């Protein structure tokens, strides 16, 4: 992965404009403008359009009208504000969040090959002016480290088929209810993210918390098949997130504060979304 990071950093330093095509599982296309990343398209994570549509924020018709009127000049955001009532700040949250989420899914596996192609960049909902690659790489490291510490292998976690242990109607948290509606043993976190219109990383972190609370089935770690330490990358059932009682040891994994909104918020003054 280091060679890829080095190439991406080099493109940024050269203020490259064009696309960086990435082959792997998943594949993806990074769109760079003047060295900043304006968007990432990958089947591993929902894009801005999917987040808006699947969350119910806009209708298919509203998207079609805005796209037809503004796609050629990158004015889809302005059209959505005028015709669908989606505010500029809300669209910024959606586009930035989708960008970081796509970068996270691409970071799960080593890219097989990549190729830079210079040219004009045109995206329906670009991040403006863009995000510096070092910020994406730093956030990827944080997210992968968080998941590794709370669960195990992030790569295996996103392939985990989720099975519910509770009825959605009996769960107060609306985000947890949405996940339980699709936790039928056939859907992965990525599948659920696309179905409910949320980011893959946001869904994954909720799945970890729900498993610790007993709302979802955990998966036992498989027996090690390689040298010592190989099992450290295996999926494990996280410790329950319950407070210590009677002076006993505290829970191994403390509860994670849960945001009230389905879409993550952006901290003022930067282009990094909160989760």
């Amino acid at each position: 992965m280091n060679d890829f990071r080095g190439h991406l950093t080099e493109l940024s330093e050269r203020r490259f404009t064009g696309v960086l095509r990435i082959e792997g599982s998943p594949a993806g296309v990074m769109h760079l403008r003047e060295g900043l990343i304006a968007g990432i398209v990958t089947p591993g994570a929902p894009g801005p359009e999917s987040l808006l549509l699947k969350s119910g924020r806009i209708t298919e018709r509203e998207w079609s009208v805005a796209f037809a009127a503004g796609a050629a000049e990158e004015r889809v955001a302005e059209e959505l504000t005028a015709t669908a009532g989606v505010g500029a700040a809300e669209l910024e949250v959606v586009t930035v969040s989708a960008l970081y989420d796509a970068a996270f899914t691409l970071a799960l596996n080593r890219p097989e090959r990549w190729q830079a192609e210079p040219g004009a960049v045109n995206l329906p909902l670009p991040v403006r002016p863009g995000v510096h690659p070092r910020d994406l790489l730093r956030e990827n490291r944080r997210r992968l480290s968080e998941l590794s510490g709370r669960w195990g292998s992030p790569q295996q976690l996103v392939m985990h088929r989720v099975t519910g242990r509770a009825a959605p109607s009996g769960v107060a948290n609306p985000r947890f209810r949405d996940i339980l509606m699709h936790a039928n043993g056939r859907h992965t976190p990525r599948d659920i993210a696309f179905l409910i219109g949320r980011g893959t990383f946001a869904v994954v972190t909720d799945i970890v918390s729900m498993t610790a609370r007993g709302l979802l089935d955990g998966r036992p770690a498989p027996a090690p098949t390689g040298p010592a330490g190989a099992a450290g990358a295996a999926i494990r059932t996280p410790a329950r997130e319950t407070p210590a009682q009677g002076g006993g040891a505290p829970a191994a994994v403390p509860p994670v504060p849960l945001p009230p909104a389905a879409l993550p918020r952006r901290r003022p003054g930067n282009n990094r979304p909160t989760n």
Side-chain angles (χ1 to χ4, degrees):
M1 190 71 164
N2 288 334
D3 290 339
F4 173 77
R5 290 171 180 161
H7 189 204
L8 182 57
T9 300
E10 178 190 353
L11 291 175
S12 178
E13 291 172 349
R14 291 199 283 115
R15 301 179 65 86
F16 172 82
T17 295
V19 299
L20 181 59
R21 301 190 185 278
I22 304 164
E23 296 182 28
S25 299
V29 179
M30 287 188 176
H31 297 259
L32 289 90
R33 182 176 287 148
E34 293 293 317
L36 301 179
I37 302 174
I40 303 176
V41 179
T42 173
E49 173 189 354
S50 181
L51 293 176
L52 290 167
L53 288 170
K54 291 296 184 178
S55 66
R57 183 61 185 85
I58 63 173
T59 66
E60 291 276 0
R61 175 172 174 76
E62 287 171 334
W63 172 261
S64 297
V65 169
F67 186 86
E73 298 178 351
E74 278 195 354
R75 289 186 48 81
V76 174
E78 289 80 358
E79 293 294 332
L80 285 174
T81 298
T83 62
V86 186
E90 182 179 359
L91 285 170
E92 183 182 4
V93 170
V94 172
T95 55
V96 172
S97 298
L99 177 64
Y100 275 89
D101 197 49
F104 161 73
T105 61
L106 289 178
L108 289 169
N109 293 290
R110 184 184 300 273
E112 297 170 5
R113 287 175 296 275
W114 57 89
Q115 180 177 350
E117 301 174 2
V121 172
N122 187 286
L123 292 165
L125 291 173
V127 174
R128 295 169 175 160
V131 175
H132 197 286
R134 67 168 174 265
D135 295 326
L136 285 185
L137 295 174
R138 184 187 305 116
E139 178 64 7
N140 280 343
R141 288 192 295 269
R142 185 194 70 81
R143 293 184 177 193
L144 293 172
S145 176
E146 176 187 334
L147 291 177
S148 296
R150 296 183 63 201
W151 180 283
S153 165
Q155 292 81 1
Q156 298 227 13
L157 174 53
V158 297
M159 298 169 60
H160 169 54
R161 297 191 182 276
V162 184
T163 302
R165 297 183 61 188
S169 58
V171 176
N173 188 304
R175 298 197 324 277
F176 289 4
R177 285 202 305 269
D178 287 344
I179 291 173
L180 283 168
M181 289 289 292
H182 301 283
N184 56 13
R186 298 192 300 271
H187 293 136
T188 66
R190 171 199 170 276
D191 298 331
I192 295 174
F194 275 92
L195 287 167
I196 66 178
R198 292 185 63 207
T200 299
F201 179 74
V203 169
V204 164
T205 54
D206 271 355
I207 285 173
V208 172
S209 293
M210 292 172 70
T211 303
R213 288 166 167 82
L215 300 175
L216 298 172
D217 277 343
R219 287 292 183 268
T225 57
I235 291 179
R236 61 178 180 269
T237 303
R240 285 187 177 274
E241 297 178 351
T242 55
Q245 297 180 357
V253 181
V256 175
L258 300 173
L263 292 173
R265 296 179 179 178
R266 187 180 67 86
R267 295 192 181 101
N270 65 24
N271 272 333
R272 173 175 155 181
T274 59
N275 298 301

